[in-house]
Amino acid sequence: MRRNNGTAKIAKKTVLSLENLPPKPTDLASIKPPYPYTPSRIDPNNPPWPAYRGYHEYSFAYATMGVRLPTILGKAISDTIKTLNEESDEERIVDLIGCINRMERLMKDLTNNDVLRPIIDDGEGDIPLWNKEITQFFRGKDFMSAPWVFAEAYKYRRLHECFSVSKYWKDYDVFFRQKCETFSRSADAVFELSTRFAIPFSLGKGLNVAQKEQALKAMFRELTQICLWGNSTDLSLLINMSEEDIKRLQSTGGDQLAATEKNILGNDIERLWDLVKSLDGGRIDFVLDNAGFELYCDLVYADYLIQSGYASVVHFHGKRLPWFVSDVTRKDWEWLLNSCLYGKLFADVSESEIASLRILGERWKGYVKEGKWIYEQHPFWCSGYAFWDLHSEAPDVFLHLSQSNLVFFKGDLNHRKLTYDCAAPASTSFATAIGPLARLPGAPPICSLRTIKSDVVVGLPDGDVADRLDEEEPGWKISGKYAVVLLSDGRPGEPVEFN
């Protein structure tokens, strides 16, 4: 037996000769991972392409999680304190102070980048959705390490929890005051549209069938753009905008629309028109985004679809909770309709302008009473899940949408959730990027109307466009200057299948 007396020789380092193996590439960055993942590997923490996360300093997620969300939460606390100072009832005051204390705790968790805890059971129907997702996929994750689209939604659900566990303030919307004020500063654009659409439109006498279709198409193209660019007024991004800034963003003049159409980088408006004109009294759905002026534009668009006969019924899907600052809730929906008919929001406007808005409001409320416009809400729209999971996590919603002839998804957040908010190449087709919502049996035709305000960009026919803009206009993905109108054909008419 050999003794180790401390003088044993250390083995020499083994050197392998790899002369017969393939050469190592000179550019290792050219080796790409196998994206998109196969469906069996996809989950909320493992999307089909790499997720954007708060610690990614190159992404808008970093600025949002580190700066924007604390700023938004700070403004929400200020709004609540303003309401507190207007209260006189002791019980309500004490109850609201409890809400403020919980908001301040949320601010501490957010700024300290704490681990994501389960949502407290506050009686809301979405608790199983939230806590199932947290338990399965995000145990031990914090605000910065969880995928951005989930972490951001989680913050807003926690904000709602600050009020939903209270006695008197369960339905308080810390953003409602902002939404109302922003719409009241949108007078120029509001009356530009109301004066044109107050009277039901007529295509004129003496037009043949082809001429009428051309007139309807021209109107369709303009209204689609108005509905698209109305998304510019997003309060989570425009918190400190002046009235002049808002007017510029909401310009609906013909020259402005002609100038901005070149900024629609992925443009399926022609295909969208071919689909819409084929509908004969069909059903169209809007998954809504922002309240106020954007919702107003959506209603003008839906009014056109009803008047033209392309749709006989329009379903509007809003949020059950105050969400992402300016998203539409039922309260926002009812407030806008009643403000158009009865409100006194706008100063220094003519009687004819006010009358035009009253007429629009009366007609729109008539559509609601007649069942032509239907407002709906579902817990899934305020969950942390991307829409790839709609079929599995909210099968009732998938089945409901499968009965639609066309579903519009409005705005940046809906687009992020459609595409799983991950780093897909810009040339990725829209149908590939939305996954199950394009390929499952019964999937309806889906159109995303989105001004680009975050990192994910897909559906660009020329992949070089994104590279060029990255070089020439750093920050173009968050500027709101560019947009996409993207259409997926889906698999309408096929029986929906559930495992």
Side-chain angles (χ1 to χ4, degrees):
M1 181 167 133
R2 181 183 175 188
R3 294 181 179 177
N4 185 350
N5 59 7
T7 60
K9 293 183 178 180
I10 300 174
K12 293 182 178 180
K13 184 178 180 181
T14 301
V15 179
L16 296 177
S17 176
L18 305 178
E19 295 177 357
N20 296 315
L21 295 185
K24 182 186 292 186
T26 56
D27 181 14
L28 288 175
S30 66
I31 302 176
K32 301 295 183 183
Y35 302 118
Y37 293 135
T38 57
S40 63
R41 298 175 62 197
I42 293 172
D43 65 52
N45 196 34
N46 189 46
W49 290 271
Y52 294 106
R53 301 177 191 263
Y55 62 79
H56 291 154
E57 296 186 19
Y58 59 83
S59 73
F60 193 42
Y62 181 75
T64 295
M65 300 306 298
V67 179
R68 286 180 59 239
L69 288 192
T71 300
I72 290 168
L73 182 54
K75 287 182 177 290
I77 293 172
S78 297
D79 175 272
T80 311
I81 292 173
K82 183 176 182 179
T83 300
L84 177 73
N85 293 335
E86 296 168 349
E87 278 294 321
S88 59
D89 181 84
E90 183 178 7
E91 281 194 39
R92 289 174 61 85
I93 289 172
V94 172
D95 196 27
L96 191 55
I97 288 174
C99 298
I100 294 170
N101 291 340
R102 287 187 287 273
M103 294 169 76
E104 290 173 343
R105 175 68 211 196
L106 174 57
M107 178 70 86
K108 183 177 179 181
D109 289 351
L110 180 61
T111 54
N112 288 346
N113 191 31
D114 282 355
V115 170
L116 309 181
R117 64 158 173 80
I119 303 297
I120 295 173
D121 186 355
D122 54 6
E124 295 281 4
D126 63 350
I127 292 295
L129 277 171
W130 271 103
N131 289 343
K132 171 187 173 183
E133 191 173 10
I134 293 169
T135 302
Q136 276 190 294
F137 306 110
F138 299 113
R139 276 186 294 178
K141 294 290 184 183
D142 52 44
F143 282 93
M144 299 298 274
S145 64
W148 174 33
V149 71
F150 177 84
E152 193 173 10
Y154 173 84
K155 173 262 178 184
Y156 284 97
R157 185 56 182 86
R158 282 278 304 274
L159 177 57
H160 177 67
E161 179 194 278
C162 295
F163 296 91
S164 60
V165 297
S166 70
K167 181 178 179 180
Y168 297 107
W169 302 94
K170 292 180 182 295
D171 299 319
Y172 185 69
D173 183 353
V174 295
F175 307 121
F176 184 69
R177 215 184 317 253
Q178 285 178 263
K179 288 183 275 192
C180 296
E181 289 174 357
T182 302
F183 185 69
S184 70
R185 290 186 286 158
S186 305
D188 287 358
V190 167
F191 291 115
E192 175 72 22
L193 292 174
S194 69
T195 52
R196 292 172 181 270
F197 284 94
I199 307 302
F201 64 80
S202 172
L203 298 178
K205 299 178 181 179
L207 296 180
N208 59 35
V209 173
Q211 290 170 328
K212 287 183 178 179
E213 182 176 309
Q214 284 301 112
L216 284 170
K217 180 179 180 179
M219 199 180 304
F220 169 83
R221 292 186 71 90
E222 286 203 3
L223 285 174
T224 300
Q225 276 214 70
I226 288 170
C227 196
L228 168 68
W229 296 110
N231 173 246
S232 294
T233 314
D234 178 344
L235 294 184
S236 71
L237 295 169
L238 308 183
I239 291 173
N240 297 314
M241 279 244 165
S242 68
E243 188 166 348
E244 287 304 313
D245 293 328
I246 291 172
K247 288 179 181 179
R248 175 179 53 79
L249 285 168
Q250 294 174 342
S251 172
T252 57
D255 292 341
Q256 174 73 10
L257 291 179
T260 55
E261 185 162 5
K262 70 179 187 303
N263 291 339
I264 304 176
L265 303 180
N267 191 345
D268 287 337
I269 289 181
E270 197 65 35
R271 286 180 57 214
L272 182 63
W273 165 248
D274 289 339
L275 172 60
V276 168
K277 75 177 181 181
S278 70
L279 304 180
D280 184 12
R283 167 183 159 182
I284 293 177
D285 288 60
F286 285 80
V287 180
L288 297 169
D289 188 38
N290 293 319
F293 182 70
E294 182 181 352
L295 176 59
Y296 177 80
C297 293
D298 296 339
L299 299 186
V300 171
Y301 196 32
D303 193 354
Y304 159 84
L305 294 169
I306 292 288
Q307 286 192 55
S308 63
Y310 298 132
S312 60
V313 61
V314 180
H315 292 247
F316 299 89
H317 304 267
K319 305 297 195 301
R320 293 177 65 252
L321 319 172
W323 202 245
F324 280 67
V325 182
S326 47
D327 282 24
V328 178
T329 64
R330 183 180 293 278
K331 182 178 180 180
D332 299 322
W333 164 269
E334 293 175 349
W335 178 86
L336 182 66
L337 291 176
N338 288 320
S339 292
C340 289
L341 182 55
Y342 304 112
K344 297 182 180 296
L345 290 172
F346 305 104
D348 302 321
V349 293
S350 68
E351 289 186 10
S352 60
E353 287 175 322
I354 290 294
S356 69
L357 193 59
R358 298 271 191 271
I359 293 169
L360 269 189
E362 186 172 21
R363 184 163 74 242
W364 292 350
K365 288 178 70 70
Y367 288 155
V368 174
K369 291 177 183 177
E370 296 162 12
K372 293 180 179 179
W373 282 5
I374 301 170
Y375 181 88
E376 304 175 2
Q377 53 190 19
H378 190 279
F380 181 80
W381 303 122
C382 291
S383 74
Y385 283 102
F387 299 160
W388 278 55
D389 298 305
L390 180 64
H391 181 271
S392 59
E393 301 301 330
D396 54 330
V397 178
F398 185 91
L399 183 62
H400 184 43
L401 293 181
S402 73
Q403 299 164 27
S404 179
N405 299 108
L406 172 62
V407 182
F408 286 104
F409 282 82
K410 291 297 307 297
D412 195 72
L413 175 61
N414 282 329
H415 188 89
R416 288 169 59 196
K417 289 201 162 191
L418 279 170
T419 60
Y420 233 127
D421 195 41
C422 46
S427 59
T428 305
S429 73
F430 182 56
T432 299
I434 68 175
L437 281 183
R439 65 169 180 262
L440 287 178
I446 285 174
C447 178
S448 178
L449 295 177
R450 178 236 187 171
T451 54
I452 301 171
K453 301 176 186 174
S454 61
D455 297 282
V456 60
V457 176
V458 298
L460 272 55
D462 182 357
D464 293 337
V465 170
D467 294 336
R468 176 177 56 79
L469 288 172
D470 283 338
E471 185 176 336
E472 296 177 359
E473 296 184 43
W476 68 274
K477 290 180 180 178
I478 62 173
S479 67
K481 176 181 176 181
Y482 297 96
V484 290
V485 179
L486 300 175
L487 180 66
S488 163
D489 295 325
R491 295 173 64 180
E494 299 184 35
V496 176
E497 300 173 358
F498 296 111
N499 294 330

